[in-house]
Amino acid sequence: VTRAMEQRERIILIPPYLDRQVQLGWSSASADYLQSFGMYFVTLAANVTPNNIEFVTQNLELFVDARIFPDVRRTLRATAEDPRFRSSGSSLVFHPQEIVFEPETMKVFVSGVSTHRDAAGRASSTDMVYELVMEMRGGRPWITGIETYDGREMRTLRWRARNPNFRDGSES
């Protein structure tokens, strides 16, 4: 494997959590792999409690580009330090419902339902989309951009073409 990585050859794997082979290269990966990685990342990032938030933050750092990680850490710490979240035994749980990879933009979109539950068991749910910009570097995936927004509609290139006046701050 070391020799293959040094030669920048493509490696084909069938990880235990997938039902088909995926391809990993030094600077590329198959759509199935990127979707699976995006799902893993969102599952880790969007399922937090006061007790696991530090663990989640430390593990997300392994996958998030250093340029944007300070913002990710700041967002998670704000959640952790919110007295209503910390003292109430609250939890945030995300139930994914759909995942889409857009090769033109290297984005993975994961939509689903985010549920906030307090210690008394009261729950409030919101439809939500996680939009991840992916990049393969050195044979591994990195998250180089993250957007989250309410709703079910993924802001794909097709969506943006239908909504030309939309501005989300990431466009110049």
Side-chain angles (χ1 to χ4, degrees), residues 126-158:
T126 305
D127 289 332
M128 180 171 264
V129 176
Y130 284 80
E131 182 178 313
L132 308 174
V133 181
M134 309 287 286
E135 182 179 315
M136 288 296 292
R137 280 184 294 197
R140 62 179 285 205
W142 289 91
I143 306 293
T144 60
I146 303 170
E147 295 290 328
T148 59
Y149 38 90
D150 292 346
R152 291 181 179 239
E153 206 161 9
M154 300 171 183
R155 297 176 185 166
T156 62
L157 287 175
R158 180 180 286 168

Side-chain angles (χ1 to χ4, degrees), residues 42-49 52-53 56 91-96 130:
V42 169
T43 300
L44 180 62
N47 291 284
V48 294
T49 68
N52 78 352
I53 203 148
V56 169
S91 64
L92 295 173
V93 178
F94 183 74
H95 300 284
Y130 284 80

Side-chain angles (χ1 to χ4, degrees), residues 7-146:
Q7 294 177 353
R8 310 279 199 273
E9 292 180 11
R10 192 175 338 180
I11 299 170
I12 299 174
L13 304 169
I14 303 177
Y17 53 87
L18 289 173
D19 59 358
R20 58 195 160 279
Q21 74 179 15
V22 295
Q23 297 181 19
L24 292 173
W26 197 249
S27 60
S28 64
S30 64
D32 286 335
Y33 178 78
L34 293 172
Q35 285 179 305
S36 176
F37 182 79
M39 180 68 79
Y40 170 77
F41 179 86
V42 169
T43 300
L44 180 62
N47 291 284
V48 294
T49 68
N51 294 330
N52 78 352
I53 203 148
E54 285 304 317
F55 170 82
V56 169
T57 303
Q58 289 171 359
N59 282 280
L60 291 181
E61 187 172 17
L62 302 172
F63 309 115
V64 176
D65 187 86
R67 183 181 51 80
I68 66 166
F69 185 71
D71 291 334
V72 172
R73 181 178 36 231
R74 192 172 15 262
T75 299
L76 287 169
R77 286 218 171 116
T79 300
E81 293 167 3
D82 182 336
R84 292 171 296 163
F85 184 73
R86 179 156 291 292
S87 65
S88 70
S90 293
S91 64
L92 295 173
V93 178
F94 183 74
H95 300 284
Q97 296 177 333
E98 184 179 7
I99 185 164
V100 171
F101 173 64
E102 186 176 67
E104 301 87 351
T105 59
M106 288 296 289
K107 288 182 179 179
V108 173
F109 299 86
V110 182
S111 69
V113 177
S114 181
T115 302
H116 174 261
R117 188 172 308 276
D118 66 18
R122 290 182 297 260
S124 61
S125 296
T126 305
D127 289 332
M128 180 171 264
V129 176
Y130 284 80
E131 182 178 313
L132 308 174
V133 181
M134 309 287 286
E135 182 179 315
M136 288 296 292
R137 280 184 294 197
R140 62 179 285 205
W142 289 91
I143 306 293
T144 60
I146 303 170

